[in-house]
Amino acid sequence: MDLVTGADGEERSLQILAEAAAHWVSTAAGAAIECAAVLHRQRSCPASAGSSPVAAGLAASEDEHGDGPTALGSALAAPTVINQAGARWQAYRRRLADSGFGAALAVPLDLKPGSAGALVFLAPANVGFTAKVVNEAAWFAEVASHSLKLALDVHGVIRAGDNLKQVLESRTSIDVACGVLMAQNRCSYAEAFSKLAGTSRNRNLKVRSVADSILRAMPSGAPGTRFEPPAIA
C-alpha cells in the first residue's frame, strides 16, 4: 500500500489509509463501512483522518473527550468491537449512535516505539462485525502498519531536510552579513558577529533578521544566500 506518493505530510498519508481501509472492509462486509485512522506520537499533536467527514469528526472527538477506544492513553492491544450491547465506553457509544453508526471496530496499528495508532471501522445500525470481517480488518491493519511506518519515516526525513535547509540558509545569511561588517569596520569575524548579536538584543530581533536588514541595505541589494543541496549523480 503506497501512503507516500501524492502525500505531502502525515495527515494526507492517514487520509489515504482511511479511504483504502474503508473500501477493503466494505467489500468484506458487503455493506458501506466508514473508517478513521488515528495517530499518536511523542512530542506531537494527535492526528486523525476519516473516509468521510463524519468518521473524521468522530475520531477527533475521542481526543477531545478522552473516552473512546483510541483516545490517548487507551490500551488497545487487540481488535475490539464496540456496540450498543456493552457497558464500556458509554459516552463514546452515544456519540456513535448520534453520528448514525451502530457499531465500531477498533484495530491497533503496529508502529515503532513512541508512536501508537489505530483504524476505527464504523458500521451503520443494521450491520454488525462478524468474525470474518474482524479478521479481514486485522489483516489489513497488519499490512497497513508496515506502509504507515515507511510513510512516517519518509515524512520525517523530508521534515528534517527542510529544517536543515532553513538552518543552512540562516547561517549563510549571517556569515555574509558578518563579512560586510568586517569589510566596513576592518574587524574580525568574532567582532562582527558580536555587533550583530548586540543589535539583535537591543532591538529584540533574531540575529538572522538583523543580518537580512544589513544585506538589504547594500547598494547592490542583498546577494543570493539561498542554500541549494549539491546534485547527486
Side-chain angles (χ1 to χ4, degrees), residues 22 25-27 29-34 101 122-124 126-127:
V25 174
S26 292
T27 301
I33 305 293
E34 299 291 351
F101 299 112
L122 303 161
N126 60 338
V127 176

XYZ file of all heavy atoms in Angstrom, residues 22 25-27 29-34 101 122-124 126-127:
107
model
N -11.479 1.695 4.449
C -12.940 1.676 4.330
C -13.368 0.861 3.116
O -14.314 0.060 3.187
C -13.471 3.108 4.229
N -12.703 -3.095 3.841
C -13.606 -3.731 4.790
C -15.059 -3.652 4.315
O -15.857 -4.549 4.604
C -13.425 -3.118 6.197
C -14.453 -3.667 7.178
C -12.016 -3.413 6.711
N -15.413 -2.612 3.580
C -16.763 -2.544 2.998
C -16.990 -3.714 2.055
O -18.065 -4.323 2.031
C -16.954 -1.222 2.253
O -16.973 -0.130 3.144
N -15.962 -4.044 1.264
C -16.062 -5.181 0.352
C -16.231 -6.477 1.134
O -17.051 -7.333 0.781
C -14.803 -5.261 -0.537
O -14.677 -4.051 -1.280
C -14.891 -6.429 -1.505
N -17.468 -6.836 4.156
C -18.728 -6.845 4.899
C -19.949 -6.835 3.992
O -21.060 -7.146 4.448
C -18.782 -5.643 5.842
N -19.768 -6.460 2.742
C -20.907 -6.350 1.848
C -21.816 -5.192 2.211
O -23.020 -5.230 1.940
N -21.240 -4.187 2.858
C -22.011 -3.008 3.278
C -21.065 -1.822 3.350
O -19.841 -1.978 3.378
C -22.668 -3.247 4.634
N -21.643 -0.626 3.380
C -20.835 0.596 3.433
C -20.282 0.792 4.835
O -21.024 1.071 5.780
C -21.680 1.795 3.016
N -18.981 0.624 4.976
C -18.285 0.803 6.251
C -17.371 2.017 6.141
O -16.597 2.139 5.190
C -17.444 -0.439 6.615
C -18.304 -1.699 6.628
C -16.737 -0.231 7.949
C -19.348 -1.739 7.713
N -17.465 2.929 7.092
C -16.558 4.080 7.129
C -15.338 3.739 7.984
O -15.353 2.766 8.752
C -17.267 5.305 7.707
C -18.478 5.772 6.924
C -18.132 6.371 5.575
O -16.937 6.585 5.302
O -19.059 6.621 4.791
N -24.097 5.637 13.516
C -23.439 4.335 13.467
C -23.963 3.435 14.575
O -24.281 3.886 15.674
C -21.925 4.489 13.621
C -21.291 5.313 12.529
C -20.756 6.557 12.816
C -21.256 4.850 11.227
C -20.165 7.327 11.819
C -20.676 5.610 10.221
C -20.131 6.856 10.509
N -16.437 1.888 11.160
C -17.736 2.334 11.653
C -18.843 1.759 10.775
O -18.864 1.986 9.554
C -17.791 3.864 11.641
C -16.669 4.538 12.454
C -16.501 5.995 12.040
C -16.949 4.426 13.945
N -19.754 1.021 11.398
C -20.821 0.342 10.663
C -22.168 0.983 10.943
O -22.419 1.455 12.060
C -20.868 -1.128 11.055
N -23.054 1.014 9.947
C -24.412 1.535 10.177
C -25.168 0.640 11.150
O -24.742 -0.476 11.473
C -25.041 1.509 8.775
C -24.223 0.534 7.994
C -22.843 0.598 8.540
N -27.688 -1.277 11.080
C -28.190 -2.601 10.711
C -27.078 -3.569 10.287
O -27.355 -4.634 9.744
C -29.209 -2.474 9.575
C -28.602 -1.839 8.329
O -27.588 -1.144 8.415
N -29.227 -2.074 7.174
N -25.824 -3.194 10.528
C -24.692 -4.036 10.115
C -23.822 -4.336 11.329
O -23.494 -3.439 12.112
C -23.851 -3.343 9.023
C -22.621 -4.186 8.680
C -24.687 -3.087 7.787
